[in-house]
Amino acid sequence: MESKHQEDLSHIRSMMERSSRFISLSGLSGIFAGTFAIIGGLRAYQLLGANGIDYVDGNSNRQNENVVNELFFTACVVLILALTSGIYFTLRKSRKYNLPIWTTATKKMLLNLSIPLIVGGVFCIALIVYKIYFLIAPASLLFYGLALINAEQYTFSDVKYLGISEIVLGCIALFLLGYGLIFWLIGFGVLHILYGLIMYKKYK
């Protein structure tokens, strides 16, 4: 009888979690997003080198308009590939485990995630307009970390630790401006891959 009660309680907890949290996130999404970020970051470093710009010399404001446009295009491609892979693996996981996707929890998570991301995006665009390029990498890490922490209550709690890590990296990058691209690679590349591997093993 006690075993039956335990099973019922476990089933109830599972149903409550499904209804209150978005649990279709796949660890593979993080792995692929991190891989795309590393490729994009290396491409950015290659572009800077090809134009005679040493990013780590602390004078990254010298980029000409063509280089900035190419870097912006590279960032957009990375973002599109990361979002596409995230949507694909999320849909695949939801179908495999028969999990609902467009729920109240999903809407709340997206809202909480999007507000800091949109504000951060506007802030980074302003940095580009005023040619304050060396703050873009730290700012993107900080706002992304805040977005993850803000959305954590509606998805896996593990997301919070990724968010904290991104914020720590962003804070350090603020005082090592010449190394912003390296911190960006670590935050959006390495940390995403590590997080994805942990999530995949933990929730597969």
Side-chain angles (χ1 to χ4, degrees), residues 112-134:
N112 281 264
L113 184 71
S114 62
I115 292 174
L117 287 181
I118 292 172
V119 174
V122 172
F123 183 76
C124 288
I125 290 173
L127 293 177
I128 294 173
V129 170
Y130 292 107
K131 299 182 180 180
I132 312 176
Y133 304 125
F134 56 84

Side-chain angles (χ1 to χ4, degrees), residues 86-116:
I87 293 171
Y88 169 75
F89 287 113
T90 296
L91 291 174
R92 193 179 78 160
K93 181 179 178 181
S94 66
R95 289 170 183 163
K96 181 178 179 181
Y97 296 102
N98 196 28
L99 297 171
I101 296 180
W102 196 243
T103 63
T104 301
T106 305
K107 297 173 186 176
K108 289 181 179 179
M109 185 204 69
L110 290 176
L111 177 63
N112 281 264
L113 184 71
S114 62
I115 292 174

Side-chain angles (χ1 to χ4, degrees), residues 31-45:
I31 295 171
F32 274 79
T35 302
F36 292 137
I38 289 176
I39 294 173
L42 293 176
R43 172 59 178 162
Y45 191 79

Side-chain angles (χ1 to χ4, degrees), residues 7 9 79 82 84 92 104 137 139 146 163 188:
E7 290 179 8
L9 288 173
L79 178 62
T84 302
R92 193 179 78 160
T104 301
L146 290 172
F188 289 100

Side-chain angles (χ1 to χ4, degrees), residues 1-139:
M1 180 66 70
E2 185 177 345
S3 177
K4 181 67 166 57
H5 287 320
Q6 291 292 337
E7 290 179 8
D8 290 342
L9 288 173
S10 178
H11 181 65
I12 292 171
R13 279 197 298 266
S14 178
M15 289 179 62
M16 290 177 65
E17 182 171 310
R18 290 190 180 201
S19 62
S20 63
R21 289 178 178 265
F22 178 69
I23 57 176
S24 294
L25 284 176
S26 171
L28 292 174
S29 301
I31 295 171
F32 274 79
T35 302
F36 292 137
I38 289 176
I39 294 173
L42 293 176
R43 172 59 178 162
Y45 191 79
Q46 182 186 44
L47 284 171
L48 295 173
N51 286 272
I53 301 170
D54 184 4
Y55 189 86
V56 299
D57 68 358
N59 296 313
S60 54
N61 269 351
R62 297 177 305 164
Q63 280 98 319
N64 59 47
E65 188 174 341
N66 290 332
V67 174
V68 173
N69 289 336
E70 289 187 69
L71 291 173
F72 183 75
F73 175 76
T74 301
C76 289
V77 171
V78 170
L79 178 62
I80 291 171
L81 289 174
L83 288 175
T84 302
S85 63
I87 293 171
Y88 169 75
F89 287 113
T90 296
L91 291 174
R92 193 179 78 160
K93 181 179 178 181
S94 66
R95 289 170 183 163
K96 181 178 179 181
Y97 296 102
N98 196 28
L99 297 171
I101 296 180
W102 196 243
T103 63
T104 301
T106 305
K107 297 173 186 176
K108 289 181 179 179
M109 185 204 69
L110 290 176
L111 177 63
N112 281 264
L113 184 71
S114 62
I115 292 174
L117 287 181
I118 292 172
V119 174
V122 172
F123 183 76
C124 288
I125 290 173
L127 293 177
I128 294 173
V129 170
Y130 292 107
K131 299 182 180 180
I132 312 176
Y133 304 125
F134 56 84
L135 283 178
I136 294 175

